[in-house]
């Protein structure tokens, strides 16, 4: 979303995440969704600000039919901006940044970290046990052909 005549200030950030890039920190700020004074009861906007990705801060506004809708779309826009930047970004050393990204049909997904990324945080043995437990749960599930 472009700025579309919205303010250049998202107000007080309700959430912040600092990412690392080869050139320094990239800070993402999410503003609290605001109901717009348009007379329309279902017009909400969520401002986002990314500093350090480009020379100037990138401010966008995501519209929604309520506060949660605007917030989800704001997070999605941030995810798409970060992914589309082509810059190698990490969050606490992990390439999975934790922001949702959109699919062509409008669905939202959050990219799951790989086993290698999880191992950095949890350790390789914990990941191995987690995968074994997941496989055991799948193996124990009843199947239609078991009748």
């Amino acid at each position: 979303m472009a700025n579309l005549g919205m303010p250049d200030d998202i107000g007080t950030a309700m959430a912040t995440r600092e990412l690392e890039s080869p050139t320094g920190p990239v800070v993402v700020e999410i503003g609290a969704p605001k109901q717009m004074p348009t007379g329309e009861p279902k017009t909400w906007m969520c401002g986002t600000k990314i500093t350090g990705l480009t020379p100037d801060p990138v401010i966008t506004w995501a519209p929604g039919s309520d506060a949660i809708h605007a917030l989800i779309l704001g997070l999605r826009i941030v995810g798409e901006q970060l992914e589309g930047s082509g810059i190698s970004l990490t969050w606490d050393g992990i390439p999975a940044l934790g922001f949702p990204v959109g699919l062509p049909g409008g669905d939202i997904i959050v990219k799951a970290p790989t086993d290698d990324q999880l191992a950095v945080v949890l350790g390789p043995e914990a990941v191995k046990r987690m995968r074994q437990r997941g496989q055991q749960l799948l193996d124990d599930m009843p199947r239609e052909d078991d009748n």
Side-chain angles (χ1 to χ4, degrees), residues 14 49 69 97 121 140:
M14 66 175 215
K49 180 178 180 181
H69 186 219
L97 305 179
V121 177
D140 291 346

Side-chain angles (χ1 to χ4, degrees), residues 6 11 15 30 34 38 45 55 58 78 109-110 137 146-147:
M6 296 299 296
I30 308 296
K34 302 173 184 178
T38 61
M45 298 293 278
V58 177
V78 166
I109 61 167
V110 175
L137 289 170
D146 289 345
N147 294 332

Side-chain angles (χ1 to χ4, degrees), residues 48-116:
T48 65
K49 180 178 180 181
I50 303 174
T51 307
L53 194 62
T54 59
D56 294 318
V58 177
I59 295 175
T60 56
W61 290 88
S65 58
D66 62 20
I68 291 176
H69 186 219
L71 176 61
I72 290 169
L73 293 178
L75 291 169
R76 178 178 163 183
I77 288 169
V78 166
E80 291 172 353
Q81 287 174 321
L82 295 173
E83 187 172 280
S85 73
I87 297 173
S88 176
L89 297 166
T90 59
W91 173 41
D92 286 339
I94 301 170
L97 305 179
F99 289 96
V101 293
L103 295 174
D107 294 330
I108 295 175
I109 61 167
V110 175
K111 290 187 175 182
T114 65
D115 284 359
D116 289 339

